[in-house]
Amino acid sequence: MKHHTLRTRAVAAALTGVLLTGVVTGAGAAGVTAGDIAGHWAQESIQYVLDQGWMGLDQAGDFLPDETITREEFAHLLNQALGLEDESILYFSDTGDAQYYDDIAKAVRAGYMVGKSDASFAPGEALSRAEAATILARLLPVQEGEAVSFTDFDQVGDWAKSSVLTASQSGYITGNPDGTFAPQRTLTRAEAVQMVVALTSGETIQKGHLNITADNQVIRDTIVAGNVYVDPAVTSLTMENCVVLGNVYVDGSATLNFNGRARVVEAKGQAKVTLGSDTVIEYLYLWGSDNTVDAGTAQIHSVVAYGSTDITGAPTLDLLRANADGVTCSVQPGEITIGEMTKQMPVIAGKAYVASTSPTVSPDKDKIISTAKTLPTMTELPYDEGVTYHQDVYDKSHPFSSMYCSVGSVNLEENQYIEKEFLMSGKANVYNLYDNDTPYIVSADNPYATRILVRYPDVDSGKEFSGRVYVDILNASSGIDLEDVWRRSYQHFMDSGDVYIGITSQSGTAEALKRFDSERYADINWSVDGELEDGLFFDMLSQLGNLLRDDPHAILPENINPEYIYVTGQSWSGDYLNTYSSVFYDYYNQDRSLFDGYVSIVSPAETFIASGVAGPRDVYTETKEPYFVIMSQGEHYFGSYGDWYLDFEYVRIPDASEDDYKFRFYEVAGAGHSDPVSPILPNNAEIALANNGTGRDPKVYNGDEKPSDLQLDMIITASLENVHNWAANGVPAPSGEDYWLEYRTVVDPFVKDMPETVEDEHHNALGGIRMPQIEVPVAQYKPFRNDSSTTDGSMIYFDSDTLKALYPQGYEQYKAAFDAAAKKVYDEGFVIESDYEKLIASDANRDLFE
């Protein structure tokens, strides 16, 4: 999983060329006068801009009015004038060291500036008059004046002609005395100032966000330099000839009449939307049911319907995402996608949509089934005699990620547990997918060998076996095998007497094992025709499951007989689990349930079906066995980081408790994607051996940030119990549908459809499953560390004044409320009894009140 760090750029200390210094971004800078504007034709406008603090002077105290303005300077000037607030990130190839990085990001997110065709932005490039016209046109409500006829209009590129006409109608950008427009001539700083001053004087501009709380409001001819928030109590709103540089959020059921431009219009309840003929919308999200959209002749990039929706009119619609049944559209969109839970195809222009003509059953069905049922060969990999706990490089042969080399020296013998390792070998196919996710074989019967790590109760010493086996897809995100589910719940596994089995899941981590111990792992093989191939894994998993059903004593003692087998995966491993079940569920479950339940942790996506080959369209599938999905708050943000998730859409699926479909979707407020530290991680010396000499870097926390005490571990442990109770005893697990995080949809440049968590006054998330740490907080909980894409969360303790305001009676008041919140999540079934007792026994925050 790739991540890019989110950074902001401060104004450079050393400036060159005509970049500005001394920029004032707060209150005005009245009294500052440039030494070179006296008598200039734009003197009044320049002085106004200086007084407002929108631009500054160079080191000599000059403004340089006749110098050209750069693209990033123009972004800065417009942002200051408009009052844009929301920050964003950039993926341009040349903005990393831009002086006005934040201003470029704001301008691009607002949609009035774009990059170049070569994925650059050219921040220091001079701005042409044609480019300035296109920027201005994106900001302006519809103009009613007549466009000026320029004698050189034929020299305006097709990409800019409509913008030049729009800008000239406004009168904010004018031609030359000779009747020309001179589209390629660069814009001077004086011209830019004159344009922006005219814009702010001639248009109604709402700086920052606009909150609508009164019913039946009518807003006309306004540029909103932020978001529009419509209160749930509002039943009707009209916005006529408006440009919204952010998003329009309708939080309840309402009638919205909108004519103008907006990036996103999102309605949470039942919506009745009427769009004017001049409307341009990037994304229209409809979360409720029974929505109606009279789209007229509007231009819409995407309509995303999560409930039944009727779209009428003759709009230009690029993409329709039918994520629910009962979606109809009067026109043919450029592209249609069908959501995961959509069972009824949308009706397009009066006809039911046909999603695909590809086969719904694989032509290789029999071969897929026979391969899955073929039992692998298991060869035990022995430990050298005398292997014991160690914290450095160790010359005795033992498994990578053995409990004998964990940083916390968790003692297996004291817990009456035994650890063994096996080489699993067999033959597997490599697959590709039709456009409807039906698999077919591209390479059959490829020999493979991977490793299996097994831990089980020592029943000969009196430890009881629970009857449960948990197969964990070892996580490959770090380039080495990570036992993420064991790491979360190892003590619960051992207390309960469960069997834990980890399976190496990727060719890269298989190669890391060889680096760790080339002799021990010499026979590992993930190659097809001499190339490493990750697509072998899916048959490996099926074959391991069938082995545990039909010949478990190939790896387990004779007195351990599995009754229930569950499969788990976290992060990238969960993506493998999602992909495996979505593609192959109907093939490996022909005459019995191969697995009794599934637990997918912090895994909001699918992964490749083969090396370099895209995976399925659907992330999750309907299973008759319980399928749990557990998300941290951090998953809401992953789409903002890195190109791996550029096409990522965070999919929420409602709970289901039917005989043939059992599903739970949990979101945990305040939690990060992974925990900051664990006592069963391999020691750093052994990680370095496996990972090309690179060990685990120490975690650094900036400023007041601390390692978070709010982790997913307790929720995951309870989910392991709940999935078993449902599978074995028919007791449905607690529903998570009423505990989803509150979020709004945002659209960043290049990254689409990202949920943005709504926060309280302490910057803690609203909604979600709420552990007592965030329900009764003494800190702000952040899903990332240092405002970057690090996957572990952090916390910042409140100051004493905030604590006193929240808990005026001191620690005893706080602790009583904390214990009550712990009792609530325990009563709801999200925490098991032993973890509840740990919570109420904790006295960790007493010192904050002293």
Side-chain angles (χ1 to χ4, degrees):
M1 196 175 292
K2 300 177 182 177
H3 304 288
H4 294 294
T5 302
L6 173 62
R7 296 180 293 171
T8 57
R9 304 298 195 275
V11 177
L15 303 171
T16 60
V18 297
L19 294 179
L20 303 180
T21 63
V23 175
V24 181
T25 58
V32 175
T33 302
D36 59 349
I37 65 170
H40 194 275
W41 63 268
Q43 177 179 349
E44 184 177 350
S45 294
I46 295 171
Q47 188 61 56
Y48 178 78
V49 165
L50 291 173
D51 290 344
Q52 295 297 314
W54 295 348
M55 294 181 76
L57 308 178
D58 71 0
Q59 292 175 327
D62 292 331
F63 185 80
L64 308 175
D66 297 321
E67 296 283 354
T68 56
I69 192 166
T70 65
R71 287 167 54 80
E72 67 174 330
E73 286 178 306
F74 195 61
H76 172 76
L77 171 61
L78 271 173
N79 287 341
Q80 294 295 306
L82 294 169
L84 277 177
E85 298 175 355
D86 287 345
E87 294 188 355
S88 185
I89 56 177
L90 294 173
Y91 290 98
F92 295 114
S93 61
D94 58 350
T95 53
D97 296 318
Q99 180 185 8
Y100 292 115
Y101 177 96
D102 288 335
D103 284 299
I104 297 169
K106 290 177 182 179
V108 172
R109 181 175 181 178
Y112 66 79
M113 294 190 77
V114 297
K116 304 286 188 175
S117 59
D118 62 354
S120 68
F121 184 83
E125 183 179 289
L127 192 72
S128 72
R129 287 170 53 81
E131 288 178 308
T134 62
I135 293 169
L136 194 64
R138 296 186 188 111
L139 289 170
L140 291 172
V142 175
Q143 301 301 309
E144 297 181 354
E146 292 188 6
V148 178
S149 177
F150 299 111
T151 59
D152 60 349
F153 190 71
D154 60 337
Q155 297 179 23
V156 178
D158 291 340
W159 59 274
K161 284 183 177 178
S162 63
S163 297
V164 169
L165 292 174
T166 299
S168 65
Q169 280 179 303
S170 70
Y172 302 146
I173 187 168
T174 59
N176 301 306
D178 62 0
T180 63
F181 183 76
Q184 302 308 317
R185 182 169 65 77
T186 54
L187 196 72
T188 68
R189 293 156 61 78
E191 288 177 312
V193 164
Q194 189 80 352
M195 180 191 303
V196 173
V197 170
L199 173 70
T200 56
S201 302
E203 300 293 335
T204 301
I205 298 174
Q206 163 68 42
K207 293 191 175 184
H209 303 308
L210 176 62
N211 295 298
I212 306 295
T213 57
D215 213 352
N216 300 313
Q217 281 201 59
V218 178
I219 302 171
R220 299 182 187 277
D221 304 320
T222 300
I223 301 172
V224 181
N227 299 325
V228 177
Y229 297 106
V230 183
D231 190 89
V234 173
T235 63
S236 179
L237 170 66
T238 296
M239 299 189 72
E240 179 62 36
N241 200 27
C242 293
V243 174
V244 180
L245 300 181
N247 305 334
V248 180
Y249 296 116
V250 182
D251 286 344
S253 295
T255 297
L256 174 65
N257 300 300
F258 185 86
N259 187 50
R261 287 196 297 278
R263 294 171 60 249
V264 173
V265 174
E266 175 177 313
K268 285 189 175 180
Q270 179 183 352
K272 295 181 179 179
V273 179
T274 300
L275 303 178
S277 59
D278 297 313
T279 297
V280 178
I281 293 176
E282 190 77 7
Y283 286 84
L284 174 59
Y285 289 91
L286 303 165
W287 289 93
S289 295
D290 299 324
N291 305 296
T292 60
V293 180
D294 181 356
T297 57
Q299 298 179 47
I300 309 172
H301 178 271
S302 297
V303 173
V304 186
Y306 290 93
S308 54
T309 300
D310 183 25
I311 304 168
T312 60
T316 300
L317 177 58
D318 296 331
L319 172 63
L320 171 62
R321 293 185 180 176
N323 290 343
D325 295 337
V327 175
T328 63
C329 184
S330 59
V331 298
Q332 178 69 47
E335 181 182 354
I336 301 171
T337 63
I338 309 301
E340 292 230 359
M341 296 294 109
T342 304
K343 303 304 176 189
Q344 181 187 86
M345 291 296 101
V347 176
I348 306 298
K351 295 182 180 180
Y353 175 67
V354 178
S356 173
T357 58
S358 298
T360 57
V361 177
S362 175
D364 300 317
K365 173 183 175 182
D366 292 341
K367 178 64 175 176
I368 296 173
I369 294 171
S370 65
T371 302
K373 288 187 172 183
T374 301
L375 300 189
T377 299
M378 307 301 290
T379 305
E380 186 171 355
L381 299 176
Y383 295 52
D384 277 355
E385 186 176 353
V387 170
T388 187
Y389 294 95
H390 57 279
Q391 294 296 318
D392 51 13
V393 176
Y394 197 55
D395 60 0
K396 294 182 182 294
S397 182
H398 65 283
F400 177 74
S401 201
S402 168
M403 291 295 287
Y404 292 102
C405 65
S406 62
V407 293
S409 300
V410 175
N411 193 300
L412 285 173
E413 287 82 3
E414 289 180 359
N415 286 275
Q416 295 177 283
Y417 257 69
I418 294 172
E419 177 185 86
K420 289 189 176 182
E421 187 179 40
F422 296 85
L423 188 75
M424 185 176 94
S425 57
K427 292 183 178 181
N429 306 318
V430 179
Y431 300 92
N432 204 335
L433 302 174
Y434 293 105
D435 60 0
N436 62 351
D437 294 351
T438 299
Y440 62 92
I441 296 172
V442 295
S443 177
D445 296 327
N446 300 286
Y448 75 82
T450 193
R451 75 94 169 231
I452 303 292
L453 191 60
V454 182
R455 299 187 182 112
Y456 59 86
D458 184 0
V459 293
D460 291 336
S461 69
K463 185 75 172 182
E464 291 189 11
F465 170 49
S466 67
R468 297 180 240 173
V469 176
Y470 290 90
V471 176
D472 188 24
I473 303 170
L474 297 177
N475 188 5
S477 299
S478 299
I480 55 174
D481 278 345
L482 291 178
E483 313 154 81
D484 281 327
V485 177
W486 177 265
R487 177 161 56 94
R488 299 282 198 178
S489 301
Y490 66 93
Q491 195 60 57
H492 176 70
F493 282 132
M494 292 192 291
D495 290 344
S496 300
D498 302 329
V499 170
Y500 172 87
I501 298 176
I503 177 172
T504 295
S505 63
Q506 200 178 93
S507 63
T509 51
E511 292 299 297
L513 293 174
K514 293 184 177 184
R515 291 192 294 270
F516 172 73
D517 190 331
S518 59
E519 183 176 348
R520 183 179 184 85
Y521 297 117
D523 293 330
I524 283 182
N525 174 30
W526 278 70
S527 294
V528 174
D529 297 329
E531 299 291 332
L532 294 177
E533 177 53 69
D534 295 330
L536 298 168
F537 172 73
F538 302 106
D539 283 339
M540 293 180 188
L541 185 57
S542 293
Q543 291 173 10
L544 176 59
N546 277 295
L547 180 89
L548 291 168
R549 292 292 186 198
D550 297 333
D551 189 18
H553 303 132
I555 56 174
L556 296 171
E558 291 291 332
N559 49 7
I560 290 184
N561 296 292
E563 298 178 66
Y564 301 96
I565 304 172
Y566 305 102
V567 61
T568 67
Q570 173 171 307
S571 191
W572 201 345
S573 294
D575 295 344
Y576 268 100
L577 174 56
N578 297 338
T579 299
Y580 173 70
S581 57
S582 289
V583 173
F584 298 104
Y585 181 80
D586 291 335
Y587 301 92
Y588 62 74
N589 284 317
Q590 283 294 303
D591 51 9
R592 64 183 176 187
S593 290
L594 185 56
F595 299 105
D596 294 295
Y598 305 81
V599 182
S600 176
I601 303 166
V602 295
S603 307
E606 71 290 335
T607 191
F608 309 107
I609 194 66
S611 293
V613 180
R617 171 180 61 93
D618 288 345
V619 181
Y620 314 115
T621 193
E622 294 186 7
T623 61
K624 63 182 179 181
E625 305 81 16
Y627 198 123
F628 280 47
V629 175
I630 304 165
M631 298 294 187
S632 76
Q633 184 182 334
E635 273 57 65
H636 282 247
Y637 297 93
F638 266 143
S640 298
Y641 298 98
D643 50 1
W644 194 80
Y645 273 102
L646 288 185
D647 296 320
F648 163 76
E649 180 183 5
Y650 185 90
V651 178
R652 280 170 156 173
I653 304 296
D655 289 347
S657 303
E658 303 166 16
D659 289 342
D660 58 352
Y661 178 31
K662 301 178 179 69
F663 187 83
R664 291 292 183 264
F665 190 93
Y666 294 161
E667 293 181 322
V668 183
H673 179 82
S674 64
D675 54 354
V677 68
S678 172
I680 64 93
L681 284 173
N683 69 59
N684 219 30
E686 299 209 341
I687 288 177
L689 271 180
N691 203 27
N692 291 313
T694 302
R696 184 177 55 252
D697 292 332
K699 296 185 184 300
V700 177
Y701 294 83
N702 292 344
D704 294 329
E705 291 191 12
K706 309 290 183 185
S708 178
D709 63 4
L710 200 170
Q711 302 299 327
L712 290 173
D713 299 7
M714 291 185 178
I715 301 293
I716 291 170
T717 297
S719 295
L720 297 173
E721 282 295 301
N722 289 333
V723 75
H724 172 68
N725 198 25
W726 200 350
N729 304 314
V731 179
S735 174
E737 199 168 332
D738 294 333
Y739 296 93
W740 285 355
L741 289 164
E742 292 188 26
Y743 75 70
R744 306 182 186 280
T745 303
V746 298
V747 177
D748 267 321
F750 313 114
V751 183
K752 308 300 182 185
D753 303 359
M754 282 312 304
E756 180 179 71
T757 307
V758 179
E759 300 176 343
D760 63 16
E761 67 273 22
H762 304 298
H763 300 292
N764 282 324
L766 296 174
I769 296 172
R770 304 186 68 78
M771 293 295 287
Q773 292 96 322
I774 197 169
E775 182 67 9
V776 186
V778 294
Q780 174 193 353
Y781 287 93
K782 307 172 73 172
F784 292 120
R785 172 166 46 93
N786 305 335
D787 290 327
S788 71
S789 60
T790 52
T791 56
D792 50 290
S794 63
M795 60 190 291
I796 300 175
Y797 285 113
F798 296 153
D799 59 31
S800 58
D801 290 340
T802 302
L803 288 174
K804 288 177 183 177
L806 286 171
Y807 312 107
Q809 299 173 34
Y811 176 76
E812 297 304 324
Q813 179 188 8
Y814 157 74
K815 190 62 168 69
F818 182 95
D819 290 353
K823 183 67 161 52
K824 183 174 185 290
V825 290
Y826 168 61
D827 289 343
E828 291 169 338
F830 295 118
V831 169
I832 64 174
E833 184 174 5
S834 58
D835 283 335
Y836 163 64
E837 291 173 350
K838 291 176 186 175
L839 286 169
I840 62 175
S842 172
D843 209 21
N845 293 322
R846 179 183 288 273
D847 60 333
L848 296 176
F849 293 84
E850 295 174 349

